[in-house]
Amino acid sequence: MSTETQAPATSQGADERRDSITVTDNRTGRSYEMPITDGTVRGLDFRQVKVSDDDFGLMLYDPGYANVAACRSSITYLDGDRGILQYRGYPIQDLAQSSTYLEVAYLLIHGELPTQAQLDEWTHQITIHTFVHENVKSFMQGFRHDAHPMGMLLGSVGALSTFYPDANEIDDPENRSIQTIRLIAKMPTLAAFAFRHSRGQPYVYPDNDLSYAGNFLAMMYKMTELKYQPDPRLERALDVLFILHADHEQNCSTSSVRGIGSSRVDPYSAIAGGIGALYGPLHGGANEAVLRMLHRIGRRENIPDFLKGVEEGKERLMGFGHRVYKNFDPRATIIKSAAEDVFAVTGKRNPMLDIALELERIALEDEYFIKRKLYPNVDFYSGLIYEALGLPVEMFPVMFAIGRTSGWVANWLEQVQDREQRIARPRQIYTGQLDRRYVPVEQRG
Ligand code: CMC
């Protein structure tokens, strides 16, 4: 609990060190001591800072929440200055190297790596829940032939709440557990249906003999063959991409999931909101925007002109920059080498890779990018892999959503069990007019 103090802050010796901050309001001369816990000060402690009794009290103004911690979380650790990303304490490099997406999903959800028996049971549960109700298929068929698959995914995930109305019993651990499994299991099925719809091709049912990534490839690409055999190298590359996208602490879509979830709605509605946030070009839509940008640049000779336009503020270099990483994005480093592996399998090196490499090389030596600490992020190279897998650009954010589902669910689960959480409800600084007199329409000029 914070207190108002009379004495202004004085320099203290090491033995007097207190975990608090003293704030002096120069309007009144009053000082307030506020506790510091875990490197943070409680926003509500500032409300006592007032010029008069009827003053509302000081608020924090932070558009984009650049310096606000809205929750405690033990899921993902990120140190942007040192390029560190860890899920439940495990470095992303080790997980990408040795783990599988389903194992990582278990880790994010349960907090620990599974034993073999736990992993087998988890994999079994996810696998047997990959099918969707036939009516889901019919309403997906109702989308226009050229509907964006991300819009289809958003709509169909939201609609799942109507198929599982008991999903709103979010205080029941068993109920939460079954919705968790359903969300992770059904996301690839809905994503593949959306893809097949855009191609005018029949939807392919899940194949429970295949791995998570292998089954997804089958639902995407199976044609007349009796059994689809995914290339194990592509299957692995896809699995690694899912691992790299699985969680990223309080990003725009995850904080949207938490924000919506804070109203205590069912998880399908909350995660549909997360998909909406991910759809935007500054977030998960960036990989789609990168590919469009690379195609627009077209040739290496056009790079300097393009970068001149970026520096003049005409547009952004998509796939560059990050709110948190100011050194390098460790996911981008892993993806860059995975891209080369995939091209080795598909046998065709994507010519856009050369443009991307050259763009990266020039940008990293450019004063504009150096000064602003702008480096390639996860989306800079992921699109090239997706393109090599034969995916149209519209599917790129959908691929991101499949991987991110486990992180969204882990955050939702953490939030609904966190007693400190309240409904998300930021304040505003009102800039409009007050107490205006209503004028009937016929008297308005
Ligand atoms: N190209 C050119 N300039 C940029 C870029 C960029 N990609 N990103 C930031 N800047 C500039 C920006 O104009 C600003 O310059 P100034 O100080 O002169 O006004 C400065 O760098 C700081 O940028 P900001 O917009 O304040 O940074 P932010 O933390 O609000 O935005 C970002 C982060 C990722 C939205 C932004 O870097 C961006 O728009 N990048 C391109 C889109 C992109 O690749 N998004 C994927 C992010 S990673 C995957 C994910 O998590 O979704």
Side-chain angles (χ1 to χ4, degrees), residues 119-139:
L119 181 60
D120 291 347
E121 177 57 18
W122 171 250
T123 306
H124 172 71
Q125 287 299 327
I126 301 282
T127 307
I128 61 168
H129 283 93
T130 48
F131 277 72
V132 292
H133 193 289
E134 278 295 290
N135 286 1
V136 173
K137 213 177 90 183
S138 346
F139 84 70

Side-chain angles (χ1 to χ4, degrees), residues 370-390:
I370 296 171
K371 208 171 116 204
R372 291 170 178 78
K373 299 191 173 176
L374 302 171
Y375 296 86
N377 59 48
V378 68
D379 289 321
F380 195 64
Y381 288 104
S382 60
L384 291 168
I385 302 187
Y386 296 143
E387 196 169 63
L389 292 173

